[in-house]
Every structure is written in structure tokens, then in C-alpha cells.
Amino acid sequence: MPYIRESVDLSVDLLPGHKRGLSLANPVMTASGTFGNGLEYARIFDIQRLGAIVSKAITLKPRRGNVQPRIAETAAGMINSIGLQNIGIEAILRDVAPVWATWRVPVVANIAGESIADYTELAGRLDGTPGVSGIELNVSCPNVESGLEFGVDPRAAAAVTASVRRRTDLPLIVKLTPNVSNIVDIAAAVAGAGADALTIINTFPAMSIDVRRRRPALGWGSGGLSGPALKPIALRLVYLVARSLRIPIIGCGGIMSGEDAVEFMMAGASAVQVGTATFLNPRAPLDVIEGVEEFMRAEGIEDLRQIVGAALAAPESADAGRAPAQYLHPRV
Ligand code: SIN
């Protein structure tokens, strides 16, 4: 009979060594844009059980978002083109952050801007706000003209990260796009500019056609693909970055179950974000927590650290180990 472990430790010290740190009761966070600002879900289940909540992207001014329709279902996921609809920083600070401050679960504010000055001002306004435990820089939204601009160019990504870093010592997470030829270059650039952690990945630019109307299904034309279709892509990108850099990674992309989350952690993620699954089942993040716990019990694993990076391959030879990261990609 397999050994079933009674007690498992799900806690994650996401940023060891960081002045303020980011301690999670478990590795499961919500993905930005899939959980509102947490307030509605607080009425549905005990959100304090989550590892962390990531807010909807916050911009300086309120945004109405893109023209409808803004969501289209696909074979293994969905495409969205919300266009960063949100209530703006004023309303967040006035109406929402005071509620966050009453929660035990850490809240990370996802921020988006059109210029480095926008991001820096947003970070400055969030710095020192009770209820805000960290910032996630959204340099990867495919649904606004300026969305991907910063995230696809290492110099631009580093410049926005460095500017925000100078403005705040809050934990700083940068959310990367998969829509680049070498994600390791972007990851290295933002890590060098002061990012404390990376979220890998945001949605992948995608499209769906409404054949009856003979038009793109989404009002904005294209959108960002999320859900299970994205998972193998996200996993590979987590793996590549984890193999090349020493920076905490939060895996994101199509996580539906505890086993999906374990895959991301074995690929090198210290924590995960659950997003699209929540549209199918609002309790999905809790199910993922329970699934990770069950996996650990069944496998006799006491501590999550035994899982993180477990699948990172040792170099096949000393020469391969010394090769620059990009030459290792085809072997993954
Ligand atoms: C959106 O609001 O369009 C989605 C946000 C994102 O993809 O970052």
C-alpha cells in the first residue's frame, strides 16, 4: 500500500531575501483579469484560503474597454479582448484597497500603462497603500495598442521595470508575453532591471472568425488565447526561463487541476496562477489547491520545495551545460 503523508507544507516564501517578502499560505494565486478585484468572489467562497489574489489591471484613468463581443470560446480555451476595462487608480485606492487591507490573503496589484511615466506613477500611488502586497507589471496585454510594446523588447521591458523599481520597494513581478522569439532575453532584461519575480505567461495573440457574420468573432478583431490550449506552451517557457535564470517564477497558462499546477512547479515555477478555469468553475483555484495537496500526500511529499524544478533536466554533457540558453532550446 502506498505511503500516504498526513501533513504537507503548502506554504511558499516567494521572495526570500526581499525586504518586505511575499509569503503565500499555498502556491495558488488568481490570474489578473479572471477574478475581478476579489470582492465578488469573497461572496462565493472563502477567498482567504487562496495563496494570493492578483487584481484586474489598473490604469491611471478608468477604462471602458474594447467594443463587444469581447470573449469567444475556442476548442480548448477562450480568446478575450477586454481592453483593460477597469475603474482606475483613484477608485481602487478609495473603494477597493481599504477592503483588501482587511484580508489575510495578500493582494498583488496588476498595473498597465501607455508610457513608462504611467507605470511609474501607478507604482508610486500603490506604494505604501495598506492592502497592497506587491505589484505585477502588465507589459503583455495583447488587447490595447500599446499593450505588448514594452514586453516584446528587452530594452523597453528593462526600462519600465527599472523606473518602477526606483519608485517602490514593493515586491515587483513582471508578467511576460509568450509572443516573443526568445523569452529568456526578456526575462533576463527585467530581472537585471530589478524585477523580483516573473509571471510566465500572459495570453497568446489569437483570433476566431464568426462564419455566419463573415467577420472576426471579437469586436476588436483579435484577442488573447487562454485556457488548456496554452498550457504546453506556457510550461515550455517556464522551463526555459527556470533553466537559464535564478528568479522566482509564477507559472500561468491553462491550469485546470492540481496536477497541472504540479507540472508547472516541476518545470521550475514556485507558484501558479489560475485564470480561465475560474470561468468554468468559480471554485477552480480552491480545487487546484486541494489537488496539489492530494498529489503531495499520495506521493509522500512533505514540502513543496521538493517539487519546484524537479523536472529541470541536468545538462546531457558538460559542454551542453555551458552553452548559451538559446542553443539549448531545441533540445527541450
Ligand atoms: C484585457 O483586459 O484585455 C486583458 C488583460 C491582459 O491580457 O493583460
Side-chain angles (χ1 to χ4, degrees):
M1 191 176 143
Y3 168 60
I4 309 285
R5 180 165 280 283
E6 286 300 311
S7 73
V8 296
D9 183 2
L10 285 173
S11 66
V12 178
D13 181 6
L14 192 61
L15 307 177
H18 186 280
K19 196 169 115 189
R20 302 198 194 195
L22 192 53
S23 298
L24 316 181
N26 63 70
V28 181
M29 308 167 69
T30 61
S32 177
T34 63
F35 206 73
N37 290 314
L39 309 189
E40 295 85 358
Y41 282 89
R43 292 189 227 124
I44 299 178
F45 66 78
D46 182 9
I47 55 163
Q48 310 292 351
R49 290 180 57 199
L50 296 167
I53 290 171
V54 184
S55 77
K56 174 62 184 160
I58 304 165
T59 52
L60 281 178
K61 298 270 175 257
R63 286 178 60 95
R64 296 169 66 92
N66 290 337
V67 62
Q68 300 278 0
R70 307 197 296 195
I71 287 188
E73 195 168 342
T74 63
M78 63 178 231
I79 308 177
N80 90 79
S81 68
I82 306 303
L84 301 180
Q85 179 183 352
N86 79 101
I87 59 179
I89 187 73
E90 288 296 344
I92 289 285
L93 296 177
R94 187 187 60 234
D95 304 329
V96 181
V99 182
W100 291 343
T102 65
W103 295 349
R104 197 172 58 244
V105 57
V107 177
V108 173
N110 180 294
I111 60 172
E114 288 174 12
S115 63
I116 292 180
D118 283 2
Y119 283 98
T120 311
E121 185 178 340
L122 283 160
R125 300 196 61 184
L126 290 162
D127 186 60
T129 298
V132 176
S133 296
I135 289 179
E136 184 176 71
L137 278 196
N138 186 348
V139 291
S140 46
C141 174
N143 302 327
V144 286
E145 299 297 347
S146 58
L148 289 171
E149 225 165 67
F150 292 99
V152 295
D153 174 48
R155 272 173 306 184
V160 68
T161 305
S163 180
V164 169
R165 175 76 298 161
R166 283 193 292 274
R167 190 62 191 78
T168 179
D169 63 0
L170 275 169
L172 178 56
I173 302 163
V174 182
K175 186 168 186 177
L176 302 184
T177 173
N179 192 28
V180 288
S181 53
N182 188 344
I183 198 166
V184 177
D185 282 352
I186 308 279
V190 300
D196 296 309
L198 306 172
T199 301
I200 300 176
I201 51 177
N202 205 330
T203 57
F204 198 94
M207 190 176 212
S208 173
I209 301 288
D210 179 337
V211 293
R212 306 248 142 40
R213 290 194 302 118
R214 303 180 185 208
R215 291 281 177 280
L218 297 173
W220 206 63
S222 64
L225 177 69
S226 61
L230 205 60
K231 194 187 107 189
I233 295 169
L235 265 174
R236 175 176 172 274
L237 296 176
V238 166
Y239 186 99
L240 290 178
V241 174
R243 200 159 77 162
S244 305
L245 302 177
R246 295 224 172 284
I247 184 166
I249 295 171
I250 302 162
C252 179
I255 295 173
M256 307 294 283
S257 66
E259 233 171 84
D260 290 341
V262 170
E263 277 193 68
F264 274 87
M265 287 188 275
M266 289 188 172
S270 304
V272 296
Q273 291 181 357
V274 175
T276 302
T278 310
F279 290 88
L280 269 181
N281 164 20
R283 269 188 48 98
L286 296 186
D287 293 350
V288 172
I289 298 170
E290 285 160 18
V292 171
E293 194 170 352
E294 253 168 54
F295 177 85
M296 290 172 72
R297 281 187 207 287
E299 294 283 316
I301 298 165
E302 186 179 1
D303 187 319
L304 267 183
R305 282 172 297 192
Q306 293 167 253
I307 297 178
V308 174
L312 290 169
E316 278 161 19
S317 71
D319 281 350
R322 280 197 292 273
Q326 62 267 34
Y327 300 125
L328 297 173
H329 293 184
R331 294 198 300 110
V332 172

